[in-house]
Amino acid sequence: MSSIKIRTIQPSDNKEIAKVIRNVLIEMEVPKVGTAYEDKSLDKMFETYNKPKMQYYVVEEEGRIIGGAGIAPLEGEASMQVCELQKMYFLEQARGKGVGFKMINTCLSFAKEQGYVKCYLETMPYMESARKLYHKVGFLPLEAPMGNTGHYSCQAWMIKEL
């Protein structure tokens, strides 16, 4: 993992991270409707996350973006104490190298620094590797979704106390 680094997103990263996320969603056969694939924010990630209590990180290998993840307040949640782990996707070459573990801990550290007390996420039931990682870092399954993310095609929900 020596040539791989995690850094905050820059305006020049918008096009490449959008492409990475869409490619991973297609590879994983995630529905295009009701998921991150159709989010308007996907093409302007820097601008979307360049706000208080929000941050998006990219994973870079030899100058090329190979994944990313972010933290933002959970949309539709009355309490500003719950954040959401958002758009955590990696190209195949980043998988199995501990990048996801390092990225999720980077995001959760940021969330704690911002004063969040819980972190929520949504995923697909068949994304077993991702769900295994989430469980490893302390996320627990929920019976129903929280907030109003608009990702109605995501059918697995998890939460973690920070």
Side-chain angles (χ1 to χ4, degrees):
M1 206 166 98
S2 59
S3 67
I4 295 176
K5 70 177 185 176
I6 294 174
R7 62 172 176 78
T8 57
I9 193 167
Q10 300 300 310
S12 58
D13 299 327
N14 280 347
K15 189 174 183 177
E16 196 170 352
I17 191 62
K19 183 179 176 183
V20 165
I21 292 170
R22 286 189 176 107
N23 285 344
V24 172
L25 290 169
I26 289 168
E27 173 196 349
M28 299 288 176
E29 298 180 357
V30 173
K32 291 181 180 176
V33 178
T35 65
Y37 191 94
E38 68 177 359
D39 286 357
K40 290 177 175 66
S41 64
L42 213 51
D43 293 307
K44 50 183 178 172
M45 296 285 278
F46 174 81
E47 292 79 4
T48 299
Y49 287 87
N50 191 23
K51 296 178 180 137
K53 297 185 78 159
M54 298 175 74
Q55 186 62 260
Y56 196 84
Y57 299 92
V58 295
V59 179
E60 189 178 71
E61 181 177 43
E62 297 175 7
R64 184 169 171 247
I65 293 175
I66 59 171
I71 290 288
L74 177 58
E75 188 79 28
E77 178 67 25
S79 166
M80 288 299 291
Q81 296 182 323
V82 181
C83 65
E84 182 183 12
L85 179 67
Q86 299 180 333
K87 296 176 179 62
M88 186 162 137
Y89 298 103
F90 303 102
L91 293 176
E92 188 174 359
Q93 72 221 52
R95 299 177 205 152
K97 298 179 179 177
V99 176
F101 185 78
K102 188 172 180 185
M103 174 63 88
I104 202 166
N105 282 306
T106 299
C107 289
L108 294 175
S109 291
F110 173 80
K112 287 178 193 174
E113 289 168 11
Q114 298 306 305
Y116 292 113
V117 297
K118 292 182 181 180
C119 186
Y120 170 80
L121 66 82
E122 298 176 326
T123 189
M124 302 303 269
Y126 58 84
M127 290 185 164
E128 293 175 19
S129 294
R131 291 177 55 207
K132 186 176 177 181
L133 171 62
Y134 300 144
H135 182 72
K136 182 179 179 180
V137 297
F139 279 87
L140 300 172
L142 291 170
E143 294 292 318
M146 290 177 61
N148 183 22
T149 66
H151 296 160
Y152 56 84
S153 289
C154 293
Q155 297 297 309
W157 316 279
M158 300 180 89
I159 192 120
K160 174 180 173 47
E161 299 275 341
L162 300 177

